Amino acid sequence: MADSILKTKSYEFPLRTVSITRRLADEKREYVRSKQLLRSGTSIGANVEEANQAESRRDFVHKLSIALKEASETNYWLRLLRDSRTLETEKADSMIADCEQIQKILTVSIRTLKRGMQ
């Protein structure tokens, strides 16, 4: 069940990220930080997809760990955009909440898998 929730959330989140970064570039002419957000925000889902094709349990954990790192970086960019008033607080907070939910799911999944490997 958590796997399907993670797959769904890690696909929907990048869709929102694409929309926000497109708007930041078009309306605010914010290219550098929006590009960073786009890269890290879309990488979360890509790494979850890669994990589903892992060659081993260890490889699966590794790919999810990369997704977690990308989610952490994405959280940073969202906070920076919010706190610099480049992205509206309400929009940023909504994205941050979604990102933190993905981070929690990934953290629990990784811990559970690592326990099972011992």
Side-chain angles (χ1 to χ4, degrees):
M1 170 132 154
D3 179 47
S4 63
I5 292 170
L6 178 58
K7 274 186 88 167
T8 300
K9 290 192 177 294
S10 67
Y11 185 79
E12 290 172 354
F13 183 81
L15 289 173
R16 289 183 66 199
T17 302
V18 168
S19 176
I20 285 174
T21 56
R22 185 177 294 142
R23 192 170 55 77
L24 285 171
D26 292 345
E27 295 175 13
K28 303 231 180 193
R29 303 288 185 233
E30 173 52 63
Y31 302 108
V32 176
R33 290 177 294 173
S34 65
K35 188 173 182 177
Q36 289 293 109
L37 175 62
L38 179 65
R39 187 200 54 74
S40 64
T42 56
S43 183
I44 298 165
N47 280 291
V48 169
E49 285 293 318
E50 278 190 53
N52 287 313
Q53 300 302 316
E55 296 175 5
S56 66
R57 192 177 190 111
R58 183 183 205 102
D59 187 35
F60 185 74
V61 170
H62 177 70
K63 299 284 195 254
L64 289 185
S65 296
I66 294 171
L68 180 57
K69 289 177 184 181
E70 294 295 339
S72 180
E73 181 181 344
T74 300
N75 190 305
Y76 168 81
W77 290 117
L78 287 166
R79 287 181 288 118
L80 188 65
L81 287 163
R82 178 197 61 200
D83 295 345
S84 65
R85 298 187 180 151
T86 307
L87 184 59
E88 300 87 0
T89 301
E90 186 176 304
K91 179 74 72 179
D93 286 346
S94 173
M95 289 290 291
I96 290 167
D98 287 350
C99 188
E100 288 174 349
Q101 189 175 31
I102 291 169
Q103 287 176 282
K104 287 175 185 174
I105 294 167
L106 286 165
T107 299
V108 169
S109 297
I110 291 166
R111 281 186 190 152
T112 301
L113 288 162
K114 282 184 175 179
R115 267 191 242 125
M117 290 170 45
Q118 294 176 347

